[in-house]
C-alpha cells in the first residue's frame, strides 16, 4: 500500500528530456496562439482565458521572488496595485487638469487628462514596480525569512490603505489626488496599438493575443534568468546564505534583483489587467489577492516555471468558472443556504495547507525545490551579522 | 552604541505620537485630559491585543513559527462566545448574579474550544512540516488563517454582526482626572491581568512550563532529557489558544460586534505587539500590546481610523527592520 | 590528489615572507560571552599555517571573522594590505580569500559543476540585461567559467562522471573535493580550510596533506587550516597557533608548539 502510494506520487513527477519538453512547449504555444479562433470572440471562456493569462504573468513574477530566490512575499498585490494605477494615472481622464497626450490616436485626443500609449504605460508600470520592489526589498533584506514575509505583507496593506483612502492625499497639488478612493478610476482608455484596430470589449481576441505575447516575453525572460549567473546565485542564496556569501555572492544585490524583476513582472500584469477590466478598483488590492497568487505557484510547484503556468491557469479557472458557475448550485441542491462564491479564499487556504503537507513540491515539481522540500536539503541559517 | 541608538530610537519613535498630541492638548486645552482618555482606552483595548500577542510569542518562542492563524483562532473564540450567550441564557436583562457565573462558563468553553482548535491546527498543518524549510509551515499557517476566516464568513456572514451588550459596555463607571472609565474598560483590564499573570506563573513555575522553556532552547537536548517535545509543543498551542479564546470573549463583550475579518486585523496588530516587545518574551508581548493599543486609539481619534492600519503597519515595518529584537528582547547568539 | 608533494620549500624562510593576512588584537563578544579575546595572528604568503585548540576554543568564530561572516567586536583585520574589518564576505572573497566549512556546505540541489560555477560568481560580470539577451560577451564568459570549473573539478580529483551529479548524491569524500574545488574556482590567494580531514580515513588524510603542499607549491596559495588531526597538523604546518578559551596561548613551529607545557595543559588538563 505504501509502495503504491509512493509510485503514485512518483508517477506525477514530470521529467521529460530536453528535446521532448521543447517540442511540447512549441506545441502548447502553437495551440495557445490558435485557441481563440475556436471560440466566439466575446465568449465567457475567452474572457476567463485572458484573465488566466494575466494571472500566469503574475505567478511567474512572484515565482522569481518566492520560487527562485526563496523570499516569501505576502504583499505581492502591491505590484498589481502600482501597475494598475499606472494605467489609472496615465491612461484616463482622472487627472483632468492635465492635458498630456503622447502617441495616442484621435479618439482620446480631445479628452482631458493624461493619455499615454499603452506600451509606454506598461514600461512605466514595470519601472515603477521595479523601484517599489527595491524599496520594499531594501529594508527587509537583513531580516530572516519569516520576518521578510510579514514586512512584505505590511507593505502590501499600507499600499492598500493608500489606494482606498488616496482620494484625500494630494501630492502634486489640489487637482491631483493619489487615487480615486473606493470609487476607483474608471473607465480607462481603450487600447490602441500600432498596426491593429483599437481594442474593444466586443472582440476579446486582440486582448488575448496581447496578453499571450506578454506571457511569451515574460517566459523568455524568466527562463533565461533561471539559467544564468543570477539564477544560480538565487538558488545558492535560497539554499544556504552563509555558503553563498562566502563564495562571493553579494546577498543584498542578489535578493534585490529578485524583488526588482518580480515586481516589474507583477506591474506588467497589473497594468494589463487594469486596461482589460477597464477599471482600477482599490478594493481589489487586498491581502487575499497576494495569497491567491501564492496559491498558484505553490500548487504548480515552487520554482517550476511550467508548474506556475499550470497552477495559475487552474486556479484562475477555479476562481472564475468553477466556483461561480458550477459549484454555486451545489449548496442549494443539498439544502444549504450559503453562497459558494464566498468560499473562494477558504478553498485557496485549503489548497495551501493540503499541497504543502501532502505534496509540497506541487503538481509539476522543479527538481531542486522538490529535494529541498522533501529531503530537507538546504539550511535556514541566516547571516544576522552581515550588514545590508 | 548601535544597540543604544536602536533601543532608545525605538522608544523615541513610539513616544512621538503621544508626546506630539500631548503638547497639542496642552496648547489647545491647557490640560492632558484628552490624551489621557486616549491612552486609557488604548490600554484597555491593548490588553486584548496583549492576550493575543502572548499566544504568538509563546508559539514563536518554542518553534520559531509565526502562527499566522492565531488571530483567526481568536476570531473563532469571539464567534463561539457570541453564539453561546443565548444558549446559556444570558440576555440584556440578566443581572450581575446571573451574569458572572454565566460569563465564567462561556469563558471556560471559549478557552477550551480555541485551545483545542489551536492544538488541532498544529497537529494537522505544522507538525508534518517540522523538518521542512521554515517557510513551509508559514505558508500552511496563512492557509489555515484563510480557512478559519471562511468558516467565520459562512457562520456569521460578510458584515459585522452585533452581539447583545450584556455588560452595558458603554456605561460610565467613574471619572478620574477627566478620564472616563467605562464598564468595558474594567472588564478588559480585570480579566486580562489575572490571565496573563497566571500564564506567566505557569510557564516560570510549573514542570510543564520548564519543559516548554527547555524545548524552546534546544529541542534535541530536551528530548534527551526525557521531555516529550511533541506534547510540549501541543501544550504551548493549547495555552496560546486558550488565551486567544479568552480574548475572543472579552472582545465580543467589549466591541459588541463580531466580524469574520476581525482576526486578520487583530492578528497583525498582536503580532506587531509581540515583535515590539521582543518575540518570544512574554512580558514584552504584554507591553507591546498595551503600547499598540495606545497608538491605535490616538490614531483613530486624531488622524482618522481609516489610516490606523497603515500607521500600525508602518510601526511594524520600522521595528522589524531597525530593531527586530524589540524593546526588551536580547540578541541571540549564533552557534559559531 | 594522487601525485606526491614535491616538497620543494618556498625560497624565503617563513618569518621573512610578507604577511598576506593579518589580524590585530581581535576580540569577539556575543552578549556576555567572549568567544575570542585579543587574538593577533598572521598568515605569510605561500605558507601553510594552522590554528588548533580544544573544542570550543573559538577557532571557527575566528575563521568567521576573517571571512567576514562575523564582525569583530574590537580589533583589526587586513588582507593583502587592505583593511577588511567588517567587510562583507562576498567582497572578501572577491579580494582573494576562499574557504570551506567544517560541516560541508555545498549547494545540495546543484550539480558539482554548478557548485563550482557559483564559486566563480565574483569573477563573472554577466548582469540582468546581458543574461536575458545572452549577449556574445555573456556566452563567452559562461563557456569560460564552465571550462575553468571542469578544470578545477579535475584538479581536485573528481571523476568526470560525477561532474553533473547533484552534490547531495556524491560520496562524502567527493563532497569534500567539490567544496575545495568551489573555493579554488574563485582564484584565491588564501584558502581557509575548516577541519578538512573530518571523517576521512588516514590514507585520505595523507592524500589531502600532499594536495595542500601542491596547492602551495604549484599555485602559490597560502593555506590556513583548522584541524583536529594532529598527524595532519604536524605534518603540513609551517607554523601553528594554539587557541584556548578564545585566547592565543602559543604560536610557533610544530615541534615547539608540541612541547609547550601550556598547550599540553590545554589539551590534557592540568596535571597533578
Amino acid at each position: 500500500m505504501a509502495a503504491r502510494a509512493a509510485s503514485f506520487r512518483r508517477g506525477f513527477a514530470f521529467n521529460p528530456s530536453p528535446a521532448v519538453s521543447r517540442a511540447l512547449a512549441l506545441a502548447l504555444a502553437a495551440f495557445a496562439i490558435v485557441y481563440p479562433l475556436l471560440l466566439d470572440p466575446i465568449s465567457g471562456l475567452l474572457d476567463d482565458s485572458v484573465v488566466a493569462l494575466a494571472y500566469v504573468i503574475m505567478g511567474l513574477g512572484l515565482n522569481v521572488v518566492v520560487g527562485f530566490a526563496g523570499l516569501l512575499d505576502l504583499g505581492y498585490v502591491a505590484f498589481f496595485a502600482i501597475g494598475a494605477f499606472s494605467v489609472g494615472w496615465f491612461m484616463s481622464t482622472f487627472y483632468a487638469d492635465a492635458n498630456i497626450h503622447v502617441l495616442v490616436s484621435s479618439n482620446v485626443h480631445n479628452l482631458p487628462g493624461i493619455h499615454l500609449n499603452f506600451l509606454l504605460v506598461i514600461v512605466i508600470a514595470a519601472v515603477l514596480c521595479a523601484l517599489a520592489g527595491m524599496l520594499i526589498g531594501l529594508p527587509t533584506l537583513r531580516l530572516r525569512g519569516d520576518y521578510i514575509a510579514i514586512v512584505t505583507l505590511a507593505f502590501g496593506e499600507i499600499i492598500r490603505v493608500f489606494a482606498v483612502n488616496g482620494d484625500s492625499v494630494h501630492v502634486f497639488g489640489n487637482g491631483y489626488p493619489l487615487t480615486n478612493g473606493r470609487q476607483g478610476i474608471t473607465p480607462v482608455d481603450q487600447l490602441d496599438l500600432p498596426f491593429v484596430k483599437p481594442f474593444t470589449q466586443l472582440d476579446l481576441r486582440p486582448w488575448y493575443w496581447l496578453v499571450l505575447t506578454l506571457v511569451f516575453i515574460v517566459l523568455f525572460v524568466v527562463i533565461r534568468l533561471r539559467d544564468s549567473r543570477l539564477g544560480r546565485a538565487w538558488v545558492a542564496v535560497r539554499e544556504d546564505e552563509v555558503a553563498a556569501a562566502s563564495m562571493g555572492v553579494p546577498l543584498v544585490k542578489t535578493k534585490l534583483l529578485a524583488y526588482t524583476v518580480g515586481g516589474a513582472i507583477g506591474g506588467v500584469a497589473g497594468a494589463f489587467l487594469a486596461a482589460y477590466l477597464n477599471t482600477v478598483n482599490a478594493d481589489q488590492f487586498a491581502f487575499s489577492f497576494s495569497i491567491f497568487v501564492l496559491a498558484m505557484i505553490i500548487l504548480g510547484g515552487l520554482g517550476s516555471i511550467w508548474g506556475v503556468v499550470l497552477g495559475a491557469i487552474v486556479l484562475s479557472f477555479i476562481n472564475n468558472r468553477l466556483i461561480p458557475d458550477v459549484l454555486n448550485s451545489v449548496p442549494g441542491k443539498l439544502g444549504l443556504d450559503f453562497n459558494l462564491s464566498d468560499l473562494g479564499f477558504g478553498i485557496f487556504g485549503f489548497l495551501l495547507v493540503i499541497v504543502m503537507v501532502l505534496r509540497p513540491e506541487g503538481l509539476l515539481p522543479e527538481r531542486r525545490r522538490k529535494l529541498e522540500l522533501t529531503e530537507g536539503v538546504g539550511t535556514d541559517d541566516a547571516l544576522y551579522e552581515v550588514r545590508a | 552604541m548601535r544597540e543604544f541608538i536602536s533601543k532608545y530610537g525605538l522608544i523615541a519613535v513610539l513616544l512621538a505620537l503621544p508626546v506630539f498630541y500631548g503638547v497639542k492638548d496642552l496648547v489647545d486645552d491647557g490640560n492632558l485630559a484628552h490624551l489621557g482618555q486616549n491612552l486609557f482606552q488604548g490600554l484597555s483595548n491593548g490588553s486584548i491585543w496583549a492576550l493575543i500577542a502572548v499566544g504568538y510569542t509563546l508559539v514563536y518562542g518554542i518553534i520559531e513559527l509565526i502562527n499566522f492563524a492565531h488571530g483567526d483562532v481568536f476570531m473563532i473564540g469571539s464567534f463561539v462566545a457570541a453564539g453561546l450567550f443565548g444558549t446559556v441564557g444570558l440576555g440584556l436583562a440578566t443581572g450581575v448574579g446571573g451574569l458572572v457565573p454565566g460569563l465564567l462558563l462561556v469563558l471556560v468553553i471559549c478557552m477550551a474550544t480555541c485551545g483545542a482548535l489551536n492544538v488541532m491546527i498544529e497537529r494537522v498543518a505544522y507538525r508534518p512540516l517540522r523538518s521542512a524549510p521554515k517557510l513551509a509551515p508559514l505558508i500552511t499557517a496563512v492557509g489555515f488563517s484563510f480557512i478559519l476566516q471562511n468558516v467565520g464568513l459562512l457562520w456569521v456572514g460578510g458584515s459585522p454582526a452585533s452581539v447583545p451588550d450584556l455588560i452595558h459596555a458603554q456605561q460610565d463607571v467613574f471619572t478620574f482626572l477627566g478620564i472616563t472609565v467605562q464598564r468595558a474598560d474594567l472588564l478588559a483590564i480585570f480579566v486580562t491581568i489575572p490571565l496573563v499573570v497566571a500564564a506567566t506563573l505557569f510557564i516560570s513555575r510549573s514542570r510543564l512550563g520548564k519543559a516548554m522553556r527547555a524545548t524552546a532552547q534546544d529541542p534535541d537536548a530536551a528530548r534527551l532529557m526525557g521531555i516529550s517535545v511533541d506534547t510540549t509543543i501541543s501544550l504551548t498551542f493549547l495555552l496560546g489558544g486558550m488565551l486567544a479564546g479568552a480574548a475572543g470573549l472579552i472582545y465580543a463583550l467589549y466591541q459588541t460586534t463580531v466580524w469574520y475579518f476581525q482576526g486578520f486585523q487583530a492578528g497583525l496588530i498582536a503580532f506587531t505587539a509581540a515583535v515590539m516587545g521582543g518575540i518570544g518574551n512574554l512580558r514584552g508581548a504584554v507591553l507591546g500590546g498595551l503600547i499598540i493599543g495606545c497608538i491605535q486609539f490616538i490614531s483613530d481619534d486624531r488622524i482618522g481610523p481609516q489610516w490606523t492600519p497603515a500607521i500600525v503597519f508602518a510601526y511594524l515595518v520600522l521595528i522589524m527592520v531597525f530593531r527586530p529584537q524589540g524593546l526588551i528582547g536580547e540578541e541571540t547568539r549564533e552557534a559559531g | 590528489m594522487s601525485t606526491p608533494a614535491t616538497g620543494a620549500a618556498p625560497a624565503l624562510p617563513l618569518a621573512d615572507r610578507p604577511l598576506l593576512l593579518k589580524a590585530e588584537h581581535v576580540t569577539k563578544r556575543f552578549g556576555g560571552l567572549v568567544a575570542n579575546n585579543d587574538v593577533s595572528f598572521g598568515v605569510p604568503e605561500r605558507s601553510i599555517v594552522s590554528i588548533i585548540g580544544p573544542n570550543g576554543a573559538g577557532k571557527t568564530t575566528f575563521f568567521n571573522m576573517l571571512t567576514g561572516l562575523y564582525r569583530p567586536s574590537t580589533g583589526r583585520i587586513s588582507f593583502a594590505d587592505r583593511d577588511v574589518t567588517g567587510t562583507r564576505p562576498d567582497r572578501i572573497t572577491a579580494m582573494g580569500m576562499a574557504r570551506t566549512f567544517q560541516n560541508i556546505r555545498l549547494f545540495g540541489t546543484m550539480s558539482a559543476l554548478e557548485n563550482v560555477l557559483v564559486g566563480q560568481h565574483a569573477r563573472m560580470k554577466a548582469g540582468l540585461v546581458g543574461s536575458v539577451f545572452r549577449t556574445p560577451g555573456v556566452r563567452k564568459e559562461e563557456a569560460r567559467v564552465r571550462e575553468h570549473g571542469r578544470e578545477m573539478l579535475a584538479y581536485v580529483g573528481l571523476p568526470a562522471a560525477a561532474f553533473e551529479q547533484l552534490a547531495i548524491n556524491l560520496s562524502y569524500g567527493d563532497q569534500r573535493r567539490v567544496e575545495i574545488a568551489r573555493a579554488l574556482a574563485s582564484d584565491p590567494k588564501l584558502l581557509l580550510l575548516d577541519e578538512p580531514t573530518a571523517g576521512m580515513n588516514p590514507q585520505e588524510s595523507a592524500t589531502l596533506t600532499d594536495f595542500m603542499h601542491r596547492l602551495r607549491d604549484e599555485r602559490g596559495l597560502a593555506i590556513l587550516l583548522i584541524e583536529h588531526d594532529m598527524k595532519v597538523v604536524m605534518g603540513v604546518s609551517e607554523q601553528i597557533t594554539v587557541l584556548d578559551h578564545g585566547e592565543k596561548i602559543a604560536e610557533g613551529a610544530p615541534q615547539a608548539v608540541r612541547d609547550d607545557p601550556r598547550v599540553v595543559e590545554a589539551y590534557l588538563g592540568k596535571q597533578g
Side-chain angles (χ1 to χ4, degrees):
Chain A
M1 194 60 211
R4 254 183 69 191
S7 80
F8 169 73
R9 289 186 62 173
R10 229 175 299 133
F12 256 78
F14 178 69
N15 279 320
S17 72
V20 172
S21 67
R22 182 161 299 179
L24 209 61
L26 280 177
L28 265 176
F31 173 74
I33 292 168
V34 297
Y35 160 79
L37 298 174
L38 311 173
L39 300 174
D40 187 66
I42 48 168
S43 68
L45 189 57
L46 191 54
D47 178 30
D48 292 341
S49 305
V50 174
V51 174
L53 288 180
Y55 287 160
V56 167
I57 300 177
M58 289 265 175
L60 289 171
L62 183 61
N63 188 45
V64 170
V65 184
V66 185
F68 290 178
L71 305 159
L72 182 53
D73 185 337
L74 295 180
Y76 197 64
V77 68
F79 303 117
F80 178 20
I82 294 170
F85 273 113
S86 307
V87 167
W89 293 327
F90 305 124
M91 265 179 61
S92 77
T93 54
F94 180 53
Y95 289 132
D97 290 2
N99 208 356
I100 301 170
H101 298 82
V102 179
L103 298 174
V104 284
S105 62
S106 51
N107 58 345
V108 293
H109 254 298
N110 305 323
L111 296 175
I114 304 174
H115 301 274
L116 310 185
N117 188 291
F118 180 66
L119 296 179
L120 285 178
V121 174
I122 251 187
V123 173
I124 293 174
V127 170
L128 282 182
C129 286
L131 290 175
M134 239 184 258
L135 202 71
I136 294 173
L138 203 54
T140 65
L141 293 176
R142 287 166 56 220
L143 304 176
R144 24 191 316 158
D146 46 358
Y147 275 34
I148 289 181
I150 299 295
V151 170
T152 52
L153 192 171
F155 267 117
E157 284 294 294
I158 291 173
I159 286 188
R160 186 187 63 79
V161 171
F162 272 90
V164 172
N165 301 303
D167 45 346
S168 59
V169 179
H170 297 262
V171 187
F172 301 107
N174 238 345
Y176 299 90
L178 193 60
T179 74
N180 203 23
R182 284 194 190 276
Q183 284 153 18
I185 300 172
T186 186
V188 300
D189 298 347
Q190 287 295 315
L191 293 200
D192 190 5
L193 301 181
F195 313 119
V196 288
K197 281 188 299 181
F199 287 39
T200 68
Q201 306 296 338
L202 296 177
D203 182 1
L204 301 180
R205 284 173 184 160
W207 293 99
Y208 176 90
W209 282 314
L210 173 63
V211 71
L212 188 65
T213 310
L214 294 173
V215 168
F216 285 152
I217 293 172
V218 169
L219 274 175
F220 177 79
V221 168
V222 294
I223 291 174
R224 279 284 171 93
L225 286 180
R226 181 194 60 186
D227 300 334
S228 72
R229 168 181 183 244
L230 187 57
R232 286 192 296 265
W234 281 334
V235 178
V237 167
R238 181 179 86 205
E239 256 184 60
D240 188 340
E241 274 192 12
V242 174
S246 301
M247 291 308 125
V249 177
L251 298 181
V252 168
K253 190 178 165 201
T254 304
K255 291 180 182 177
L256 264 190
L257 281 174
Y259 274 114
T260 311
V261 173
I265 294 174
V268 168
F272 175 83
L273 273 175
Y276 179 68
L277 303 173
N278 199 15
T279 177
V280 182
N281 176 358
D283 284 319
Q284 285 180 322
F285 310 132
F287 175 58
S288 50
F289 187 86
S290 300
I291 300 309
F292 180 51
V293 181
L294 182 67
M296 293 173 196
I297 67 174
I298 302 260
L299 175 70
L302 271 176
S304 152
I305 288 173
W306 300 113
V308 170
V309 172
L310 178 71
I313 292 174
V314 168
L315 274 202
S316 73
F317 273 89
I318 289 181
N319 193 39
N320 293 334
R321 290 240 124 197
L322 202 61
I323 294 175
D325 300 350
V326 183
L327 289 180
N328 244 344
S329 55
V330 175
K333 284 182 196 150
L334 298 175
L336 299 169
D337 65 338
F338 59 80
N339 182 352
L340 249 172
S341 55
D342 288 347
L343 264 179
F345 56 101
I347 290 179
F348 300 128
F350 187 69
L351 261 176
L352 285 180
V353 176
I354 289 294
V355 174
M356 258 357 253
V357 171
L358 296 183
R359 194 179 162 86
E361 68 270 27
L363 291 177
L364 297 178
E366 198 248 353
R367 178 189 62 158
R368 301 183 202 287
R369 273 300 198 171
K370 186 173 177 183
L371 286 166
E372 286 166 27
L373 290 162
T374 56
E375 313 282 328
V377 177
T379 166
D380 283 328
D381 286 12
L383 280 175
Y384 300 104
E385 288 236 345
V386 178
R387 288 169 309 160
Chain B
M1 189 59 199
R2 276 177 117 174
E3 163 75 14
F4 183 85
I5 293 175
S6 80
K7 180 160 185 174
Y8 290 94
L10 174 57
I11 292 174
V13 169
L14 291 176
L15 284 176
L17 274 184
V19 168
F20 176 79
Y21 286 106
V23 171
K24 195 161 174 290
D25 281 355
L26 280 178
V27 174
D28 294 352
D29 316 339
N31 62 52
L32 287 172
H34 190 173
L35 181 71
Q37 185 71 41
N38 287 155
L39 290 179
F40 178 72
Q41 283 184 301
L43 286 178
S44 85
N45 196 35
S47 64
I48 300 178
W49 304 148
L51 273 181
I52 309 173
V54 167
Y56 264 114
T57 229
L58 279 177
V59 166
Y60 197 92
I62 200 159
I63 54 171
E64 296 208 332
L65 166 73
I66 299 171
N67 181 11
F68 203 85
H70 191 70
D72 301 287
V73 171
F74 150 76
M75 175 270 292
I76 295 289
S78 277
F79 280 28
V80 170
L84 280 175
F85 289 158
T87 320
V88 300
L90 295 176
L92 285 174
T94 316
V96 178
L99 209 51
V100 171
L103 283 180
L104 276 178
L105 179 64
V106 175
L107 179 69
V108 170
I109 298 176
C110 280
M111 289 174 79
T113 313
C114 290
L117 180 63
N118 219 18
V119 170
M120 186 276 288
I121 293 174
E122 192 272 332
R123 189 70 195 78
V124 173
Y126 308 152
R127 192 174 296 176
L129 296 172
R130 216 174 275 162
S131 61
K134 246 183 218 158
L135 296 186
L138 182 55
I139 290 169
T140 52
V142 173
F144 239 103
S145 159
F146 271 55
I147 295 174
L148 293 180
Q149 277 184 42
N150 217 150
V151 169
L153 178 67
L154 296 176
W155 187 346
V156 167
S159 42
S162 66
V163 174
D165 186 8
L166 295 179
I167 57 162
H168 307 285
Q170 304 287 313
Q171 201 166 310
D172 296 350
V173 183
F174 59 85
T175 302
F176 178 71
L177 293 176
I179 299 168
T180 309
V181 177
Q182 296 178 334
R183 287 178 162 208
D185 302 321
L186 291 182
L187 171 88
I189 291 168
F190 285 114
V191 177
T192 305
I193 291 174
L195 279 174
V196 169
V197 169
T200 315
L201 283 180
F202 175 79
I203 288 161
S204 60
R205 298 283 166 81
S206 74
R207 247 196 61 180
L208 286 167
K210 281 189 188 127
M212 279 166 68
R213 281 181 293 149
T215 309
Q217 282 202 339
D218 188 342
D220 294 326
R223 195 172 286 123
L224 289 176
M225 302 304 289
I227 294 169
S228 163
V229 171
D230 282 346
T231 313
T232 310
I233 291 175
S234 289
L235 184 84
T236 310
F237 276 84
L238 181 71
L239 196 59
M242 283 165 64
L243 293 176
L249 167 67
I250 301 169
Y251 184 92
L253 291 171
Y254 187 97
Q255 299 284 354
T256 65
T257 56
V258 293
W259 189 27
Y260 79 94
F261 206 59
Q262 80 188 45
F264 173 73
Q265 293 173 333
L268 282 174
I269 292 169
F271 179 74
T272 308
V275 174
M276 186 185 289
I279 197 146
N281 183 320
L282 281 189
R283 281 177 307 156
V286 175
L287 181 66
L290 298 178
I291 294 175
I292 280 286
C294 291
I295 289 173
Q296 242 189 325
F297 262 78
I298 293 175
S299 161
D300 275 357
D301 188 29
R302 318 287 184 118
I303 302 172
Q306 75 273 26
W307 294 105
T308 301
I311 288 171
V312 172
F313 292 137
Y315 271 109
L316 175 63
V317 173
L318 283 175
I319 295 167
M320 288 187 117
V321 170
F322 293 105
R323 194 164 164 85
Q325 69 270 41
L327 275 172
I328 45 182
E330 285 171 24
E331 261 184 292
T332 48
R333 178 180 180 247
E334 284 307 295
Chain C
M1 275 202 211
S2 50
T3 28
T6 58
L12 288 169
L14 192 67
D16 297 339
R17 273 174 259 161
L19 289 181
L20 182 59
L21 175 76
K22 206 160 59 173
E24 295 164 280
H25 306 292
V26 169
T27 297
K28 179 67 190 173
R29 282 183 290 267
F30 293 102
L33 191 132
V34 182
N36 284 125
N37 188 17
D38 196 30
V39 178
S40 295
F41 170 80
V43 180
E45 279 174 10
R46 295 177 73 103
S47 64
I48 301 180
V49 302
S50 300
I51 300 179
I52 63 170
N55 280 325
K59 304 183 295 287
T60 297
T61 302
F62 191 61
F63 243 48
N64 286 342
M65 282 191 285
L66 297 180
T67 52
L69 291 180
Y70 292 161
R71 162 194 281 275
S73 305
T74 58
R76 185 171 175 278
I77 298 168
S78 58
F79 178 66
D81 297 321
R82 287 159 79 181
D83 188 346
V84 295
T85 321
T87 303
R88 285 194 337 237
D90 55 287
R91 293 246 168 92
I92 292 180
T93 305
M95 286 178 199
M97 200 193 295
R99 72 173 288 176
T100 65
F101 293 89
Q102 185 178 341
N103 44 341
I104 303 173
R105 296 184 90 143
L106 286 174
F107 305 113
T109 69
M110 290 188 178
S111 71
L113 183 59
E114 284 171 321
N115 266 283
V116 179
L117 293 181
V118 174
Q120 298 179 69
H121 191 93
R123 304 279 170 256
M124 297 174 70
K125 291 202 181 68
L128 193 66
V129 178
S131 299
V132 170
F133 292 105
R134 260 189 214 155
T135 55
V138 169
R139 277 169 204 270
K140 224 178 278 169
E141 179 183 79
E142 191 71 17
R144 172 174 61 79
V145 295
R146 279 180 188 273
E147 185 50 40
H148 187 232
R150 288 198 193 89
E151 275 169 30
M152 283 301 116
L153 288 173
Y155 187 74
V156 298
L158 192 77
F163 286 9
E164 300 292 342
Q165 273 187 36
L166 295 192
I168 45 162
N169 295 334
L170 294 173
S171 72
Y172 185 81
D174 281 348
Q175 289 192 1
R176 281 268 176 227
R177 287 193 178 87
V178 174
E179 213 193 14
I180 293 175
R182 184 176 70 174
L184 288 177
S186 68
D187 285 333
K189 297 191 203 85
L190 172 65
L191 180 64
L192 289 81
L193 302 174
D194 195 347
E195 295 199 25
T197 67
M200 285 187 176
N201 62 35
Q203 211 212 319
E204 288 170 324
S205 299
T207 317
L208 185 71
T209 307
D210 291 342
F211 183 67
M212 282 191 262
H213 282 125
R214 268 179 66 199
L215 285 176
R216 180 190 59 187
D217 301 338
E218 293 177 14
R219 306 184 78 91
L221 284 185
I223 295 177
L224 173 56
L225 182 69
I226 291 182
E227 189 49 70
H228 271 302
D229 185 333
M230 282 306 145
K231 199 153 166 279
V232 173
V233 173
M234 294 298 162
V236 79
S237 311
E238 295 168 71
Q239 173 195 299
I240 296 176
T241 303
V242 188
L243 291 185
D244 187 29
H245 293 109
E247 300 194 26
K248 185 162 99 174
I249 56 166
E251 187 169 78
Q255 196 57 46
V257 164
R258 182 162 44 189
D259 298 339
D260 191 315
R262 280 169 303 177
V263 177
V264 176
E265 192 188 306
Y267 269 90
L268 301 176
K270 212 177 177 91
Q271 303 293 304

